[in-house]
Amino acid sequence: MRDLEGYKDTRYQLLVLRPTQRASWIGYAMAFHLIKDYETALKILEEFRKTQVMVKPFDYEHSELLLYQAMVMKEAGMYDELLMHLDTFEPQIVDKLYISETRAELNLLLENYATAEALYLELLGRNPENWAYYEGFEKSRRPSTEEERLAVYRERAEKTPRAHAPKRLPLNFTTGETFTQLIDRFLRQALHKGIPPLFVTLRKLYCERWKVETIENLVLGYVESMKSCSKFNPADDDSVLEPPTVLLWAYAFLAQHYDYLGNTAKALEYVNTAIEHTPTLIELYVIKTKIYKHAGNVEEAVRCLDEAQSLDTADRYTNSKCAKYMLRANMIKEAEEMCAKFTREGVSAVDNLNEMQCMWFETESMRAYQRLGKWGEALKKCHEVDRHFTEIIEDQFDFHTYCMRKMTLRTYVGLLRLEDILRQHPFYFVSARCAINVYLRLHDKPMTDSEDNENTSSENLDPSELKKLKNKQRKEKKKAQQEKLKQKALQEKKEQHNKAKQAEEVEGPKEEELVPEKLARPKDALEEALCFLRPLQLLSGSQIETHLLAFEIYYRKDKLLLMLQSVKRARAVDPTDPQLHVCVVRLLRKFQEQKASLSAPLKTVLEEQVAILFDGLPLQALNERFIDDHADSLGSIYAGARVMVSLDPKSKEAALSLICNFGGQMAISDMQLCIDIYEAMKKGEFGDCKEQMAEFQARCHTLYPLATAFAPPVSPCANHVISAAPEPEPEFEHDDL
C-alpha cells in the first residue's frame, strides 16, 4: 500500500537539501525504520542525538527522541542494548511509566526473574488493578502448582485489600472447594456493593459447566436466605443485616445468568421480580431488553428501552440504545426522532449524525433499509460509511508534518500503522458486506426505470391487500415529498450558515451527491461490489464471509480461477462451514458445464485443483458424504438440502424431509438459522410444503416462544387493534448492548 522505498529516497533528497533541519534527519531515520532496516535507522538516530548538546530539564521533545530510539531497539530484538539505553538516559526521559514497564517486560523476556519480580511489584504498587502487571508478576514468580499461583494473588490481596483484580484473577484457574470459597467471597462483596457489570466480569468463567453450576447454586442460595433473614447465609454469625439492594442485584444477576444459558422464561421471571422490587432502576430495563433481543422479539426490546430512556431523558446512552433497537425493528423514522433529542438544532438528525461520522447509526440504518428492500437508501448509507474511512485518512495529512516538528514519533508510527489497517474495522466490514449483498441482488434482479425504489414487494398479495399496500405507499410518498421540502429548507439554511467558512477554505474536488434512486440502478453492479470487496480481501482475509462474498461476485462474472481461489481461501479459514459446501458444489457444477469450452492450460489447472480439493467425487456423492459427516448440524443439513434441490429439482420432498426430520439439538444460537429455513420454505424453495412449514413453525415456536418470526398468526381484529412496526428480520447477537 505504501511506497516505502520511494519514501526513503525522498527523505534522503530532503536531508541533502536541508541537512540542518531536525525533521530531515528524523524523517530519514524513520524511512529505514519502516522498511525494517533497524540497524541503519539506529545509526542515524544516534548520530543526530549526538548533535543535541544543550538538553533542557524535562525536555519533552528530546525525551520522545530517546523513546523512539527505544521503540526501534525493541522491534529489532535488541533487548540488552535497550536496557542499557534506558539506564543511560533515564534522567532525560520524561515518561517514567514507560521505563518501568519496558524494564519489567525485558527482564522477564531475558529470564532475569528476580529483577522482573521487583519491577512488577513496583508497578503493582502504582496500579493494583492492571491485569497485565499481575500476569507478568506471576510469570516472574514461576509457580508450578495451583496453590503456588493462588499464593501470589493472596499476597497481593493482603497488601491491597481494596483492589479488585487479585480477587478476580484466581477464579480463572482455581478448582474444587477453593474455587467455591473464592467465588462465594467475591459474589458477596460485589452484591453488597451493588456492581452492575458483575455478570460481565464473571462471564469468561462460563466456559466450564461446573463453575456455572457453582455460581448458580450460590446466588440462588443468597436469594432464599435474603428473603428469610436478610443475610447471605442463615448460618452467618454476623448480626448485621444486609441492605435490601443485595436482593435486587441478585435478581439482576440471575436474570443475566439464565439469559446467557438460553432459559428465557427464568430470565424474564427474575428481571420482572427485580423491576417490581425497584421500578426506577434503568439497568433492569436494559437487562430486560437484552433478554427480549436474544429471544428474537425486537419490538418488545424496543418498548423496554423506550421505557428506560423515559426514566432519564438526559441519559444519552439509553437514548442511543433505544434508537439502535428501533432501527433493528425497522422503525427508521422513530429512531431519527429519538436521536434528534441530542443532535444540533436547525439540522436534521440524519445529516448531523453523518457529519459527526456516527457509524453505529449508519450501519444499523443500512441493515434496516436492506431488510425493507429500500436498496438505494441502503447503498447510500454504505457509501457514507466508506467516505468516513476515506475522510479519516485524509484528515491525518496535517499530522505528517506536525509529528515530525513536535517529535511525537512513536505516536506517528502508530498512526501510519493504523491507517494501513483502518478498513479492518468492524464498521467497514458490516457496510461492505451490506453493499456487496445489495449489489448482488440488483445484479440478479435489476430495478426498472418505472419501479419506485421506495416500494416493497407486492408478490403473493391478494387484490385487497395489494390495494391497501398501494394506498399506504401513496400516503408515504406524499409524506416523503413534504419531508423532502422541509429538508431542502434546512439544507439552504445550513449552506447560508457555512457560506463564510466555505469562502475561506481552499476549493477542492466536490464529492458526488449520493442519490438513492441513482445508486439503486448502477451501470455495473458487480464492479461496484468489487470496490467494496477489495479492502476486505486485503485486510479481512481471516473472516470466511470475505471469501464467500468474493465467490458470489466471481460466480456471476464466470471467473472460474477466481472462484477456485475464493474456495481455497475459505477452506483455509473454516473447511466445515455449510455455506462453503454450497459454493464448492456450484463451482464444480459450473466447471463441468464449461469444461468443453475452456482453454487447455486453464482446463488442466482446474482439473488438478479440483481433484486435490474434492477427491474427484461426483456431485451427488459429495453432497451425500457432507450430509452424513455433519448429521448433527442443522446448518449443514440445510446446506445439503439446498444442494440436493439445485442438483435435482425432483428431490425437493427428500430435501424437505431432511430438514423436518432433523434429530439433533437446536440451541438458542440456531434461531437465525431457523428463521432462514422458514423464510426459504415460505418462498417455495422446497416446493409446496404448507403442512411441513406449519409443523416446522410450531416446532420453532416451542423452542423460541417469544420470537416474532415464529409467532402464530393473529386475527385481523387483533391486527387492527395493535399497530406494530414493520415485521423485522430478527438478528441474534449474543453480546453486550
Side-chain angles (χ1 to χ4, degrees):
M1 293 174 67
R2 297 186 185 275
D3 182 12
L4 296 177
E5 289 293 335
Y7 176 69
K8 182 186 73 173
D9 295 338
T10 303
R11 277 296 174 185
Y12 177 72
Q13 296 297 329
L14 289 172
L15 178 62
V16 172
L17 291 172
R18 298 174 180 176
T20 58
Q21 287 192 357
R22 180 173 62 179
S24 300
W25 287 89
I26 298 300
Y28 190 46
M30 186 172 290
F32 283 99
H33 175 206
L34 294 176
I35 63 174
K36 298 185 179 180
D37 186 350
Y38 302 115
E39 185 177 352
T40 307
L42 287 170
K43 285 180 180 178
I44 297 170
L45 289 170
E46 181 61 21
E47 290 300 318
F48 173 73
R49 187 198 61 76
K50 290 177 181 178
T51 64
Q52 307 297 299
V53 181
M54 298 296 294
V55 179
K56 301 176 184 178
F58 300 101
D59 190 335
Y60 177 81
E61 294 182 4
H62 183 70
S63 170
E64 282 297 309
L65 172 64
L66 296 172
L67 291 176
Y68 180 60
Q69 281 185 282
M71 178 184 182
V72 178
M73 289 179 182
K74 187 175 181 181
E75 292 185 11
M78 303 167 61
Y79 300 143
D80 290 314
E81 292 84 348
L82 175 52
L83 284 173
M84 292 176 60
H85 177 79
L86 294 176
D87 292 339
T88 304
F89 298 104
E90 182 177 1
Q92 300 176 23
I93 296 176
V94 177
D95 191 350
K96 303 300 182 184
L97 179 61
Y98 175 84
I99 295 176
S100 300
E101 290 179 340
T102 306
R103 278 177 173 165
E105 183 182 349
L106 293 178
N107 278 285
L108 191 61
L109 289 171
L110 295 171
E111 299 183 355
N112 300 328
Y113 296 115
T115 306
E117 180 182 343
L119 290 167
Y120 275 116
L121 273 175
E122 180 185 339
L123 289 169
L124 285 170
R126 179 179 182 135
N127 182 3
E129 297 291 356
N130 191 313
W131 287 26
Y133 295 167
Y134 284 101
E135 182 182 357
F137 182 61
E138 182 185 334
K139 288 180 180 178
S140 66
R141 282 286 188 90
R142 292 177 292 167
S144 57
T145 63
E146 180 183 314
E147 289 75 13
E148 291 178 359
R149 292 184 71 184
L150 182 59
V152 172
Y153 292 95
R154 278 180 171 162
E155 176 187 328
R156 296 311 308 161
E158 290 174 1
K159 294 287 180 64
T160 53
R162 299 182 66 179
H164 177 83
K167 301 169 187 174
R168 166 62 185 86
L169 289 172
L171 301 176
N172 293 334
F173 59 83
T174 51
T175 58
E177 187 61 31
T178 304
F179 173 80
T180 304
Q181 293 174 0
L182 291 175
I183 192 64
D184 183 28
R185 191 178 304 119
F186 186 86
L187 285 169
R188 290 187 183 208
Q189 291 178 354
L191 292 173
H192 179 82
K193 292 181 69 175
I195 300 176
L198 174 60
F199 177 78
V200 177
T201 304
L202 298 178
R203 190 169 54 193
K204 288 186 178 180
L205 304 177
Y206 277 57
C207 58
E208 297 181 69
R209 184 64 196 172
W210 68 271
K211 287 187 177 182
V212 177
E213 293 173 354
T214 303
I215 293 171
E216 180 178 325
N217 293 333
L218 284 171
V219 181
L220 287 174
Y222 299 157
V223 170
E224 293 301 321
S225 181
M226 284 295 299
K227 286 179 180 178
S228 61
C229 61
S230 297
K231 293 182 180 180
F232 284 108
N233 193 320
D236 290 345
D237 296 331
D238 193 356
S239 60
V240 179
L241 301 181
E242 296 293 336
T245 54
V246 171
L247 184 60
L248 171 67
W249 291 113
Y251 285 144
F253 181 88
L254 286 172
Q256 296 173 84
H257 167 84
Y258 284 116
D259 176 44
Y260 188 84
L261 298 180
N263 193 335
T264 305
K266 278 195 172 183
L268 285 173
E269 177 188 342
Y270 279 106
V271 77
N272 287 330
T273 305
I275 290 173
E276 289 176 8
H277 186 284
T278 308
T280 56
L281 186 61
I282 293 177
E283 284 83 353
L284 298 177
Y285 295 93
V286 175
I287 293 170
K288 192 173 181 179
T289 298
K290 291 171 63 178
I291 295 170
Y292 276 114
K293 179 188 75 168
H294 299 154
N297 193 333
V298 187
E299 290 91 342
E300 194 61 38
V302 170
R303 293 190 188 98
C304 293
L305 262 181
D306 191 31
E307 188 172 357
Q309 70 88 27
S310 68
L311 293 174
D312 185 2
T313 54
D315 189 340
R316 186 172 295 191
Y317 173 80
T318 52
N319 174 277
S320 299
K321 288 303 171 186
C322 189
K324 181 177 181 179
Y325 275 74
M326 285 177 172
L327 291 172
R328 291 184 175 182
N330 299 341
M331 302 164 63
I332 299 173
K333 185 67 177 175
E334 292 84 348
E336 293 174 2
E337 292 172 355
M338 183 65 66
C339 289
K341 296 178 181 179
F342 286 94
T343 55
R344 191 170 70 243
E345 293 183 7
V347 182
S348 71
V350 176
D351 291 339
N352 186 234
L353 291 170
N354 179 43
E355 182 184 347
M356 298 299 292
Q357 297 181 347
C358 186
M359 285 186 270
W360 69 262
F361 180 84
E362 291 173 326
T363 51
E364 291 294 341
S365 296
M366 71 178 67
R367 294 160 78 177
Y369 283 126
Q370 183 185 11
R371 288 191 294 269
L372 293 171
K374 298 183 178 182
W375 314 118
E377 296 288 352
L379 288 173
K380 181 181 178 181
K381 294 297 178 185
C382 295
H383 283 278
E384 285 177 352
V385 172
D386 181 60
R387 286 183 177 181
H388 291 334
F389 282 89
T390 303
E391 289 166 4
I392 290 170
I393 293 175
E394 291 175 352
D395 288 344
Q396 309 307 319
F397 286 155
D398 292 340
F399 290 91
H400 292 288
T401 54
Y402 173 85
C403 292
M404 290 291 182
R405 192 173 72 251
K406 292 295 184 180
M407 298 294 286
T408 55
L409 305 176
R410 294 180 297 158
T411 306
Y412 180 55
V413 172
L415 170 67
L416 295 177
R417 291 171 176 171
L418 171 65
E419 287 181 347
D420 289 341
I421 60 169
L422 187 62
R423 281 184 165 84
Q424 200 176 40
H425 196 280
F427 278 142
Y428 184 81
F429 186 88
V430 170
S431 64
R433 178 180 59 192
C434 178
I436 292 170
N437 284 324
V438 172
Y439 278 124
L440 289 174
R441 191 270 178 194
L442 293 174
H443 174 269
D444 296 340
K445 190 179 178 182
M447 296 183 67
T448 60
D449 293 336
S450 60
E451 187 177 358
D452 187 358
N453 185 51
E454 298 293 323
N455 288 349
T456 55
S457 176
S458 60
E459 296 177 1
N460 302 322
L461 294 178
D462 58 40
S464 62
E465 290 177 334
L466 185 59
K467 186 178 179 180
K468 290 179 183 178
L469 178 63
K470 288 182 177 179
N471 288 334
K472 184 180 178 182
Q473 290 172 352
R474 197 180 300 113
K475 291 178 182 177
E476 288 179 351
K477 188 175 181 180
K478 185 178 179 181
K479 189 177 180 181
Q481 288 174 349
Q482 294 174 350
E483 186 68 24
K484 193 173 182 180
L485 291 172
K486 185 179 178 182
Q487 294 298 331
K488 187 177 179 181
L490 288 172
Q491 186 65 25
E492 289 176 358
K493 185 177 179 181
K494 180 183 176 183
E495 288 175 359
Q496 291 175 1
H497 179 73
N498 296 330
K499 190 175 180 181
K501 182 180 178 181
Q502 290 173 354
E504 296 175 359
E505 293 178 351
V506 179
E507 290 189 5
K510 293 184 178 180
E511 291 182 332
E512 184 182 357
E513 185 181 358
L514 298 173
V515 182
E517 290 77 11
K518 185 178 178 181
L519 291 171
R521 296 170 178 84
K523 294 180 180 178
D524 190 339
L526 295 182
E527 284 301 319
E528 295 289 343
L530 280 172
C531 293
F532 283 92
L533 175 68
R534 291 186 186 106
L536 299 187
Q537 289 179 311
L538 186 65
L539 299 171
S540 301
S542 60
Q543 299 200 47
I544 194 169
E545 278 187 273
T546 297
H547 310 300
L548 297 179
L549 291 170
F551 178 88
E552 294 294 338
I553 296 173
Y554 297 137
Y555 181 83
R556 288 160 174 79
K557 293 174 75 71
D558 282 334
K559 302 288 186 181
L560 286 171
L561 279 178
L562 291 173
M563 289 162 60
L564 178 64
Q565 179 192 67
S566 302
V567 166
K568 291 184 70 175
R569 288 176 175 177
R571 283 172 66 93
V573 177
D574 183 6
T576 63
D577 186 82
Q579 185 58 34
L580 174 60
H581 171 67
V582 178
C583 295
V584 166
V585 174
R586 290 167 67 193
L587 169 61
L588 293 175
R589 193 173 184 183
K590 187 173 278 288
F591 173 57
Q592 291 175 359
E593 292 172 354
Q594 300 182 1
K595 192 174 183 180
S597 60
L598 296 176
S599 62
L602 179 59
K603 183 178 177 181
T604 303
V605 170
L606 286 169
E607 283 179 342
E608 289 177 357
Q609 293 297 319
V610 165
I612 293 172
L613 289 173
F614 316 120
D615 302 330
L617 291 173
L619 296 179
Q620 299 260 6
L622 182 67
N623 189 48
E624 289 172 3
R625 187 179 73 175
F626 178 81
I627 292 172
D628 292 338
D629 292 345
H630 304 87
D632 57 344
S633 169
L634 180 60
S636 300
I637 294 297
Y638 175 48
R642 289 170 59 199
V643 170
M644 283 179 65
V645 174
S646 66
L647 295 177
D648 182 11
K650 296 180 181 179
S651 64
K652 289 183 178 180
E653 188 174 343
L656 189 63
S657 177
L658 268 178
I659 297 173
C660 294
N661 296 328
F662 175 68
Q665 264 194 324
M666 287 194 287
I668 188 70
S669 56
D670 291 328
M671 185 191 302
Q672 186 58 47
L673 175 60
C674 292
I675 293 172
D676 295 339
I677 295 172
Y678 184 58
E679 291 297 324
M681 290 180 180
K682 288 168 68 174
K683 291 176 182 177
E685 292 185 16
F686 299 101
D688 187 9
C689 56
K690 291 182 180 179
E691 184 179 343
Q692 293 91 334
M693 186 171 67
E695 292 177 0
F696 185 79
Q697 180 191 13
R699 182 181 178 185
C700 292
H701 181 62
T702 304
L703 288 169
Y704 317 114
L706 297 178
T708 54
F710 306 118
V714 294
S715 64
C717 179
N719 277 333
H720 178 71
V721 174
I722 301 173
S723 177
E727 192 70 25
E729 185 177 320
E731 295 181 12
F732 179 80
E733 296 178 9
H734 207 165
D735 57 357
D736 284 336
L737 285 170

